[in-house]
Amino acid sequence: MSRIGKKPIDLPKGVDVKVEGSMVTVKGPKGELKRSVDSRLTIAHENAQLVVKRGNDEREQRAIHGLTRALLANMVTGVATGFSKVLEISVESVGYRAELSGKNLMLYLGYSHPIDYPPPDGITFATDPKTRTITISGIDKELVGEIAARVRRLRPPEPYKGKGIRYQGEVVKLKPGKAGKTGKGAK
């Protein structure tokens, strides 16, 4: 048995799950998510818990078993509490900043023009100019991670000074500059 796949998913109060064939719908206080699952798996609703079961021990079904359970658990967590990712604009990035213009994220990243980034459905942006952070939040974990990666990709941290956008807590390994700058080899 898959160690992850055999764990039941606890359903918090206020979260409702409907299973219709291979379509699973999860409703909660934050919203509603739908996902189609593999038809060879069965999803049972038992004692305020969701249980994912597979028909046999074929290699494909073993692989999909844990994945499906993890995706369903993320859906339940998303509609109950939501997900968020925090991006930082590094201190070395003089002049770089982020602000909100309505719902859109305005990024000033050293280009000749500001970047206007509108949020897709289900995503909200928040900025804090004092800590130079951008918070991306929503109920779909995959979408939150994808949007965070796209915003980071607009100006990733460069390896010499560390200027750019990085995930909160991300460590960027800096390369040494030219050998002549440190005094080595200078006569």
Side-chain angles (χ1 to χ4, degrees):
M1 273 304 253
S2 166
R3 280 183 283 175
I4 293 173
K6 69 182 176 182
K7 284 184 186 177
I9 303 166
D10 293 325
L11 297 176
K13 290 190 188 249
V15 175
D16 183 41
V17 178
K18 286 184 186 173
V19 181
E20 297 169 350
S22 64
M23 183 62 72
V24 178
T25 306
V26 182
K27 283 185 185 177
K30 296 252 182 194
E32 176 181 341
L33 291 173
K34 292 182 180 183
R35 179 176 291 276
S36 178
V37 297
D38 195 298
S39 59
R40 295 174 287 183
L41 298 174
T42 57
I43 297 160
H45 195 303
E46 305 169 355
N47 302 333
Q49 291 182 330
L50 264 179
V51 180
V52 180
K53 298 176 183 174
R54 64 177 190 245
N56 57 34
D57 279 344
E58 289 179 11
R59 184 181 173 104
E60 269 187 65
Q61 284 193 33
R62 286 195 322 255
I64 289 178
H65 187 210
L67 170 70
T68 303
R69 188 260 177 216
L71 292 174
L72 292 175
N74 286 341
M75 288 171 65
V76 169
T77 304
V79 298
T81 58
F83 293 101
S84 66
K85 287 261 188 187
V86 179
L87 299 172
E88 298 174 335
I89 298 175
S90 65
V91 178
E92 297 85 11
S93 309
V94 177
Y96 290 15
R97 68 183 193 278
E99 57 189 40
L100 289 177
S101 173
K103 290 185 175 183
N104 294 357
L105 182 66
M106 293 295 291
L107 296 164
Y108 301 88
L109 300 173
Y111 297 117
S112 62
H113 58 284
I115 299 169
D116 185 19
Y117 200 95
D121 292 338
I123 295 292
T124 56
F125 293 122
T127 60
D128 186 7
K130 289 190 187 253
T131 59
R132 298 169 60 114
T133 59
I134 304 164
T135 305
I136 301 164
S137 53
I139 62 172
D140 188 354
K141 187 175 185 178
E142 290 177 53
L143 187 59
V144 169
E146 177 65 26
I147 297 303
R150 286 183 184 178
V151 170
R152 182 184 180 275
R153 205 176 302 140
L154 294 172
R155 182 66 90 171
E158 56 95 19
Y160 293 100
K161 292 182 183 174
K163 293 168 62 168
I165 300 175
R166 61 181 80 179
Y167 293 111
Q168 188 173 39
E170 179 183 2
V171 177
V172 176
K173 187 173 178 186
L174 298 180
K175 294 180 178 180
K178 291 183 178 177
K181 294 249 182 192
T182 61
K184 294 179 185 175
K187 294 185 180 180

